[in-house]
Structure formats: structure tokens, C-alpha cells
């Protein structure tokens, strides 16, 4: 068992929310995203709020300027072949302005979050503006 799985925790409720979101978004017609954060005192990874964002711009407006977040994103797009694809990815939001302690906290949990959420790819973003080009970054995911 990896050391990060002993350090960070997911409640049973959080694990169920992760599973339901993953299964519920596989056939979505619109982008869907949920934001997760780490409680610095308990080291529990949990959903930041109960909001499911369907607009990337709204999601960007809600992200903090100085604190990292894990964002699970299901983003339907049409591939050049004309086929519909719904990549399920983890956006690792790590603003350049956050302090080193919080950076390390999230860096240590990234792979655990990836594996627990069962995402296909991790995309690191440092600025909210990078959300505007997310479709380009997802183009290679099939």
C-alpha cells in the first residue's frame, strides 16, 4: 500500500460521490465538473461544495487565486473523425501564488486522487485562463 493512501483519506460518502459522478457523466451532453480540496488539518480529500459546474467559465470564477484544487471534469467533444468522446480527466489546479506547504500537500495526493477517481488523464493548470483552452488539451484524449 502506498504511503499517500495512509496519509490522505476519503470518507465513504466522498468515495460514493466520486463513483456516482464518474458513472453519471459518461453520457453527458454538456461539460460537468466538481471541485475537490484537502482539509489541511484532517488530510481528508472531499468535495469543496455540492455544486456540479456545467460551464467552464463559472468554474473558473469559483476557483481560489492562491489555493490548489482537484477538479474532476467530464467534457464531451467531437473528435476530428466525427465521433463523440467524453474524456473524464483530473484537472490539477496549482496556482503559482500558493505557498510551498500547500503545494506539497496537493502534490502528495495527486496520484491517490487520480487512482481513486479513476480518471484517464491528469492535466495540470496554473491559471484560471487555461480553462479557456481545455478543449484543445483534451483533443488528444480518446
Amino acid at each position: 500500500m502506498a504511503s499517500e493512501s495512509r496519509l490522505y483519506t476519503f470518507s465513504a460518502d466522498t468515495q460514493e460521490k466520486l463513483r456516482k459522478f464518474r458513472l453519471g457523466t459518461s453520457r453527458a451532453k454538456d461539460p460537468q465538473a466538481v471541485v475537490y480540496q484537502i482539509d489541511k488539518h484532517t488530510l481528508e480529500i472531499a468535495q469543496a461544495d455540492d455544486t456540479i459546474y456545467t460551464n467552464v467559465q463559472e468554474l473558473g470564477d469559483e476557483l481560489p487565486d492562491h489555493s490548489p484544487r482537484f477538479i474532476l471534469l467530464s467534457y464531451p467533444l467531437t473528435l476530428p473523425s466525427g465521433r463523440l468522446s467524453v474524456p473524464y480527466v483530473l484537472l490539477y489546479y496549482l496556482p503559482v501564488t500558493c505557498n510551498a506547504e500547500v503545494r506539497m500537500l496537493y502534490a502528495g495526493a495527486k496520484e491517490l486522487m487520480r487512482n481513486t477517481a479513476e480518471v484517464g488523464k491528469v492535466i495540470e493548470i496554473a491559471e484560471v485562463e487555461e480553462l479557456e483552452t481545455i478543449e484543445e488539451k483534451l483533443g488528444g484524449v480518446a
Side-chain angles (χ1 to χ4, degrees), residues 75 77 121 123 131-141:
Y75 197 99
L77 52 91
K121 184 176 185 179
I123 299 173
L131 288 172
E132 295 169 11
T133 61
I134 200 66
E135 195 164 324
E136 294 169 25
K137 292 180 182 184
L138 293 172
V141 179

Side-chain angles (χ1 to χ4, degrees), residues 53-101:
Y53 297 93
T54 56
N55 180 312
V56 176
Q57 185 66 43
E58 285 177 25
L59 171 63
D61 292 344
E62 294 300 316
L63 290 175
D65 292 335
H66 307 292
S67 183
R69 292 290 184 266
F70 294 124
I71 304 151
L72 294 176
L73 175 68
S74 175
Y75 197 99
L77 52 91
T78 304
L79 299 174
S81 65
R83 206 176 100 235
L84 179 67
S85 176
V86 187
Y88 178 57
V89 299
L90 173 65
L91 299 180
Y92 177 39
Y93 174 63
L94 188 64
V96 294
T97 56
C98 68
N99 70 42
E101 178 188 354

Side-chain angles (χ1 to χ4, degrees), residues 17-38:
K17 283 181 181 180
L18 284 167
R19 190 183 72 76
K20 282 184 177 178
F21 184 75
R22 181 175 51 84
L23 296 175
T25 60
S26 62
R27 302 228 188 280
K29 301 288 182 240
D30 297 311
Q32 295 188 21
V34 288
V35 178
Y36 282 80
Q37 64 187 22
I38 301 174

